Amino acid sequence: MLRAAIRTSLVIATLLTLSACEPLPEPKVSFEVAVQGSHMGRLSNNGSRAIIGSINHGGSLWRVLKKERLYDWNHSKEKTTLVAAAFSPEGNWAMTSDSHSLVLWQVESGEAFRFWTAPGEVLSIALAPNGEYALLGMADHSAVIFDSKRGGVKRRFNHSGRVRSVDLSADGKLALTGSEDRSSTLWSVASGKALQTMQHEEDVQLVRLSPKGDRALSAAKYDKAVVWNTSNGKAIGEIPLSAEKIKRGLRFSAARFSSSGRYLLVGRPDQRVQLWDTKSMKTLAEWGVLKRDAWKPTSAAIQDVAFASAKRTYYAIASNGFIHQLER
């Protein structure tokens, strides 16, 4: 009996191991946008355009469907190391940041509309409708509303730690900030008042708002990722990351809600992209993107994700310099 039980346990363990090692679906299409990889990548809402901050070749704007590099977007004659970027909700404006400057770009023409000195070290950007203002996450423990077209800080949201991630609702009325003070906070842009706060046990590294502003995601290092209701601040559900995986450093490096807020697309540093149902909090699909060199100990962190206009189609930018088209 004991030997039979041991054999059964070994069979179960083997099956579980094999199941865990089963390869994930791969992207349908992948194309290179940065030869040596990218510092950052940002997609427009429908994934049709991408801003790439290449390690060796500076900033650029891409047309994703045609795999076409449209414009070089550098802040000077030298190649710019971009640290953050964002598109307006309509996709007609974009903003990029390096360590000391901001540039507002007209997407269709590729022309720089305004150059500004950054009001401090910028860590993240979200851009309002028509590019009227930007929400900047700052290293000085604040997030600021910066007037993109006339310049100057119009409002400041204070934290007690660096603001690592920011986002705006599609109408620009709600702002969401995530800080190393272990909190994510929802703000009224008009009044500057804090509306809701989600407390975490570790630094908040990523926040996202649904387009309607009714749902929020906040994800903290080694803690949890929570989808919550912005009207009452209550959790709708947690992305079930096991304690063991969290200790190994599993986290989210990118996320975006669908237009309805029903679905959440997330990217991870371990080459994975997942689609979640925010009502059931279940995984609907998962993909694995390829490393640049399968035989070297390198990875590909997902830098941004987007829902394409075509149904069941998604995009992801990976840090190894590729944009991937995913299908379900």
Side-chain angles (χ1 to χ4, degrees):
M1 291 292 291
L2 179 59
R3 290 180 179 178
I6 292 173
R7 285 197 299 270
T8 301
S9 297
L10 289 173
V11 170
I12 292 173
T14 302
L15 289 174
L16 288 173
T17 302
L18 291 173
S19 176
C21 295
E22 286 181 3
L24 294 171
E26 295 179 1
K28 182 176 182 181
V29 178
S30 300
F31 66 97
E32 188 177 60
V33 292
V35 176
Q36 297 296 324
S38 57
H39 292 291
M40 58 75 56
R42 188 72 167 171
L43 290 158
S44 61
N45 275 346
N46 62 3
S48 64
R49 298 288 188 274
I51 300 168
I52 302 298
S54 170
I55 291 174
N56 287 340
H57 302 290
S60 58
L61 178 71
W62 289 73
R63 181 184 285 123
V64 175
L65 283 175
K66 293 189 176 181
K67 309 178 184 64
E68 178 183 9
R69 183 179 179 131
L70 297 174
Y71 307 110
D72 290 336
W73 273 4
N74 293 296
H75 294 196
S76 66
K77 292 181 180 180
E78 302 296 325
K79 302 298 184 184
T80 301
T81 300
L82 298 182
V83 297
F87 287 93
S88 65
E90 314 89 347
N92 56 342
W93 294 89
M95 179 173 278
T96 56
S97 174
D98 64 6
S99 60
H100 62 276
S101 64
L102 301 165
V103 179
L104 182 67
W105 303 89
Q106 295 174 313
V107 171
E108 289 307 313
S109 68
E111 297 293 322
F113 184 77
R114 290 285 187 272
F115 283 79
W116 303 109
T117 299
E121 184 183 350
V122 177
L123 303 179
S124 55
I125 300 175
L127 200 57
N130 201 34
E132 290 297 326
Y133 59 85
L135 175 64
L136 308 178
M138 310 291 293
D140 67 359
H141 300 189
S142 73
V144 301
I145 297 294
F146 186 86
D147 191 322
S148 307
K149 297 181 178 178
R150 290 164 289 277
V153 172
K154 300 302 180 184
R155 193 173 297 285
R156 189 176 296 271
F157 308 119
N158 292 313
H159 279 270
S160 57
R162 298 198 306 169
V163 178
R164 294 286 302 274
S165 184
V166 297
D167 203 9
L168 290 165
S169 56
D171 60 9
K173 294 181 179 180
L174 296 174
L176 185 64
T177 56
S179 170
E180 291 179 357
D181 66 8
R182 303 181 179 185
S183 71
S184 59
T185 303
L186 182 75
W187 309 84
S188 165
V189 171
S191 69
K193 292 182 178 180
L195 303 176
Q196 305 289 349
T197 296
M198 176 62 67
Q199 202 64 43
H200 288 260
E201 295 182 2
E202 296 289 346
D203 299 349
V204 176
Q205 298 186 321
L206 179 68
V207 295
R208 287 292 179 265
L209 270 175
S210 64
K212 295 178 182 178
D214 58 338
R215 294 185 181 188
L217 168 76
S218 55
K221 181 180 180 180
Y222 309 144
D223 179 21
K224 58 186 175 182
V226 183
V227 176
W228 47 283
N229 188 318
T230 58
S231 64
N232 57 23
K234 293 183 178 180
I236 296 171
E238 295 183 13
I239 305 295
L241 304 176
S242 72
E244 180 186 359
K245 290 181 178 178
I246 291 176
K247 289 177 182 177
R248 292 206 303 265
L250 183 58
R251 61 185 178 87
F252 293 148
S253 53
R256 193 180 302 248
F257 284 95
S258 63
S259 57
S260 67
R262 173 67 187 273
Y263 304 105
L264 179 66
L265 193 64
V266 301
R268 298 182 354 194
D270 60 352
Q271 304 168 232
R272 295 194 179 196
V273 179
Q274 297 173 317
L275 179 66
W276 289 81
D277 185 316
T278 61
K279 285 189 176 181
S280 66
M281 300 307 296
K282 292 182 179 179
T283 309
L284 301 178
E286 186 169 5
W287 302 266
V289 305
L290 300 177
K291 297 193 295 184
R292 182 175 286 273
D293 188 333
W295 302 106
K296 291 184 178 180
T298 59
S299 188
I302 305 301
Q303 296 177 327
D304 201 13
V305 291
F307 291 82
S309 298
K311 291 183 178 180
R312 294 175 174 264
T313 302
Y314 317 89
Y315 292 108
I317 300 176
S319 61
N320 62 351
F322 285 86
I323 294 179
H324 304 281
Q325 180 181 322
L326 313 169
E327 293 192 355
R328 170 172 163 245

